[in-house]
Every structure is written in C-alpha cells, then in structure tokens.
C-alpha cells in the first residue's frame, strides 16, 4: 500500500487529530470532504443551536446528581448522625456504601448506555437517583440508610459518564472540554446550591412528621424527579434523530464528527469488543484516569467534609451560618472550572490547564497542614477549590480526544470516570473523626495526590509529543498494509494519521 502523504500538521507533530478524508457529502450546495471544507458560519450557527438545546437540561440533571449526592454532608450537621445513632466510623461507612455501588455499576452502565442509547438511559437513571434521594427522608436505621445510599450509587453511576458520552456525540473534541465544564461546574455549583437549599429548607419547621435533615432529602428528591421526567422528552440519542435540527444541520453535525476521526466512516459505530478494549487499555486513558482518581479524592472529600471542616473553623456559629460559609468556596470553584474549560477550548490545550491547576491544590493543603488559624484554613479551602474542580472537565475531555470511534470513546470516558469515583471511595476514609480538627492524614494524602497529578500531567504531555513526532516520521505507516476498511477503523491510536491531542 502506498505510504500516506505527509501534511504540515504531521510534520510539526500537531497536538490535534489530523483531519479524516471522508466520502464527499453535499450540504446546502457545498461539497465537504474534510473539516476545512465546512462553512465556519454554518458550523457556528449549529454549535450555538446545540448549546441552547442540549446544555440547559444536561446542566440541570448533573447539578441535581451532585446535590443529591453531597447533601449527606449538609444533613450530617443538621442532625442525621444523632437521629440515626451513627457513631465512630458509621458516617464513613455510609459514604462508602454509595461509592462501592457507584464504582461497581459505572462501566456496565456506560456499556448499557452505548448499547441502548443515552436518550433513554439518562432520563431513566436520573429518575432512579431522584427516587432514592426522596426515600432517604424516610430511613430510621443505619442499615436502611446504607441500603438506600447503595442504590443511589447504582443509579448515579450511569449519569456522569453517560452525559459526557452523550455530549461527545454532538461536539467536536476541542469543543467538548468547555461543554463538559459547563455541566461539571455543577460539582462546585451544587455545593453552593446545596448549602443555600439546605439553609432554606431547614427554616421550614416540618412537613407532616418529617423535620430537619429529612426535609432536605424529601424536597431535593421531588425536584430531581420532576426534572428527570421532563428530560425524557428533551434528550435525543444522536444528531441524526434530533427533530429540532434541520436536515442540513443533522448532516453537518454527523459529518464533522466523522471527519475529525481518522479511519472512521460513521459517527456512531456498532458496539464491539475490540474498540471497547482499545478505549480502556491505552496509555492516555490509563494516565488520565489515574490523575482523575487523585483529583476525586480531593473533590468528593470537599463535598462530604467541607461543612464539617467549616464547623470546626467556626464552632460558635449557627448551623445555617455554617452552611452559608460553604457557599463562597464553591462559587470560586465554579468560576475557575468555567475559565479553565473555556481557555482549554480556545487554545486546544487540556494538559496545560491541569499543570496550572495543581499548584493551587498543593498550596491549599500545605496551608491546611501548617495552621489551625480559622482565616488561613478558610483561605486554604478557596485555594483547593480553584484547582481541584477544574480536572473533571479537563480529564474527561483529554480521554475523549484521544480515541477515534464512538465505542472506544464510550469506554475511555467510562474508564476515566470509573477511576475518578474510585478516588471518591478513597476520600470517604481519608478524613476521619479521630483526626479532627487538623485532619493531618487526609490533608497529607491530598497534598501528595496533588503533587502526583502535576507530575503525571506533565509526563503525559511529554510522552504525547514524542509519539506525535514518531508517527509523523512514518513509524506506524506499516499498520495500513493489507488491512480492510473495518480493520483500519479499529486501529485507533495505531493509525499513522492519528495524532495525540493534549
């Protein structure tokens, strides 16, 4: 087979995937073969339409998943431990039950989403997690609470990776990171909303026999159920079945996804094992997943324990005042997440903003370790929020950007989120009651994790640049020899025209 021609992008070791040359498609009188042939104005109009129709419902769903997950921290300081007679490590066991289910269910649920389609699975699982949130208001024993949190974990295990995969069917790789940031920002946003909601709900004396922390689960569960039902009518599996897109927009939306993935000839392929394993077991997915694991140790720990840390800093304030103290930290985290996602989109760099984020976390945990002064520890909470929340969008986008097929993308995203939530499971045991108020073991662990995140991100960037140069020099050209079209589509990172994006 003739050696592929070199392009300027290949010679300079481009950070982005080389454009795929597909069968010509005529859209609105314009013949398209590569991404360069697309009318920029038409693409901009399409992107804005996708943003208006897709992002609001996705943002709302994810906001509520995180509120319904993290409200356990608000309920804790409102009397949950006292009423359920939790002692010692019982609260940590309660948190662990959620993450055991979350981690176990995540990859199978992601494969189910690929098989059935996110248009069906996302509303169904959203309704399930809303239902189990509501049920939490009625538990009276530790065992019942653990069982309900376990089922909540199963339902939520499908949502985060499912949403990321869903968005990857509509947005190009460089666009994806910012759109992920638009809903992942709901992680710190949910902390702010959750704190405000909890403080407002706690002003209600009772609804029937339900009081105090039970009202948090009841009201937030009902809100989530309503949103899940509405989402059934708003979420479509892929562009080609979106009734709110014109025929030309549907064709353009699918064409641009195919054109940026070398070796691919369809936007949504049929699920097959070779592509699944290719998405999971590659260097990029493994390293990014490990980074996300360490980051989630921090992020989930913030969600579960920040109210408790604030209480230790300001023990003389009322519960409502302590809840409100958590809000500014999350607001800063929201702003940082959106800013890093936006600049990563515009500069086409994901790893760079990971490198810039990690030092904020390092500084924050150093401050936690060296001082017990309330002002310094409160400042530390802001430093951690500025750095930690950025990684959710950046890590998921980095995994999605370095595979080609729809199947490989679903498994790469699922793996990254799976590792991330293993970090969430770890976080439930890094901050223990006996370590209050300094929480030295947990803060030391998170400091080491932040340093490792910085090292891993930098190392992966260096490795990808070297791989791109080797591929540009023709190292992988032989992989095309004697292969069928289907076999070439399964090459993924081995395809000679593939370029790692960092």
């Amino acid at each position: 087979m003739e050696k592929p021609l070199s392009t300027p992008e290949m010679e300079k070791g481009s950070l982005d995937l080389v454009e795929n040359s597909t069968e010509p498609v005529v859209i609105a009188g314009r013949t398209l073969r590569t991404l360069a042939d697309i009318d920029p104005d038409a693409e901009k109009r399409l992107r804005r339409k996708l943003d208006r129709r897709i992002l609001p419902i996705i943002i709302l769903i994810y906001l509520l998943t995180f509120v319904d997950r993290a409200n356990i921290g608000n309920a804790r300081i409102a009397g949950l431990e006292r009423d359920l007679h939790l002692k010692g490590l019982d609260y940590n066991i309660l948190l662990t039950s959620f993450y055991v289910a979350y981690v176990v269910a995540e990859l199978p649920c992601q494969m189910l989403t690929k098989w059935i389609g996110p248009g069906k699975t996302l509303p169904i699982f959203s309704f399930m997690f809303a239902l189990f949130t509501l049920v939490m208001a009625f538990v009276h024993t530790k065992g019942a609470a653990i069982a309900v949190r376990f089922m909540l974990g199963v339902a939520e295990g499908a949502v985060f990776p499912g949403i990321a995969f869903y968005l990857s069917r509509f947005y190009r790789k460089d666009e994806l990171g910012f759109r992920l940031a638009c809903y992942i920002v709901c992680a710190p946003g949910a902390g702010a909303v959750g704190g405000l909601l909890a403080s407002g709900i706690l002003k209600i004396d009772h609804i029937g026999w339900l009081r105090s922390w039970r009202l948090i689960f009841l009201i937030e569960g009902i809100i989530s159920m309503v949103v899940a039902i509405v989402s059934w009518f708003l979420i479509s599996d892929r562009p080609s079945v979106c009734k709110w897109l014109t025929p030309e927009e549907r064709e353009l939306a699918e064409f641009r996804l195919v054109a940026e993935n070398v070796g691919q000839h369809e936007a949504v392929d049929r699920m097959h094992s070779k592509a699944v394993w290719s998405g999971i077991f590659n260097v990029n997915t493994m390293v990014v997943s490990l980074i996300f694991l360490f980051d989630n140790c921090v992020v989930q720990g913030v969600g579960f324990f920040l109210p408790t840390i604030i209480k230790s800093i300001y023990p003389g304030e009322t519960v409502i005042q302590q809840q409100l103290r958590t809000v500014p930290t999350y607001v800063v985290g929201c702003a940082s997440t959106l800013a890093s996602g936006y600049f990563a989109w515009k500069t086409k760099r994901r790893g760079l903003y990971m490198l810039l984020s990690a030092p904020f976390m390092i500084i924050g945990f150093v401050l936690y370790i060296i001082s017990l002064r309330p002002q310094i520890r409160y400042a530390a909470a802001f430093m951690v929020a500025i750095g930690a929340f950025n990684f959710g969008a950046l890590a998921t986008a980095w995994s999605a950007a370095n595979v080609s097929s729809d199947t490989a993308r679903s498994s790469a995203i699922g793996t990254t989120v799976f590792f991330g939530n293993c970090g969430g499971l770890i976080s439930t045991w890094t901050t223990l009651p006996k370590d209050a108020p300094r929480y030295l073991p947990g803060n030391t662990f998170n400091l080491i994790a932040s340093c490792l995140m910085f090292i891993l991100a930098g190392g992966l960037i260096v490795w990808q640049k070297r791989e791109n140069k080797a591929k540009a020099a023709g190292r992988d050209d032989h992989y095309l020899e004697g292969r069928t079209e289907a076999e070439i589509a399964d090459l993924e990172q081995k395809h000679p025209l593939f370029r790692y994006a960092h």
Side-chain angles (χ1 to χ4, degrees), residues 61-62 65 102 122 125-126 129 155-164 183:
I61 288 174
Y62 189 69
T65 67
Y102 201 126
L122 287 178
F125 282 111
S126 296
F129 80 69
E156 288 203 11
V159 177
F160 182 11
I163 290 176
Y183 84 83

Side-chain angles (χ1 to χ4, degrees), residues 83-96:
D83 293 348
L84 297 184
H85 308 292
L86 303 183
K87 302 181 184 300
L89 299 177
D90 287 347
Y91 179 73
N92 299 80
I93 294 172
L94 185 60
L95 300 183
T96 301

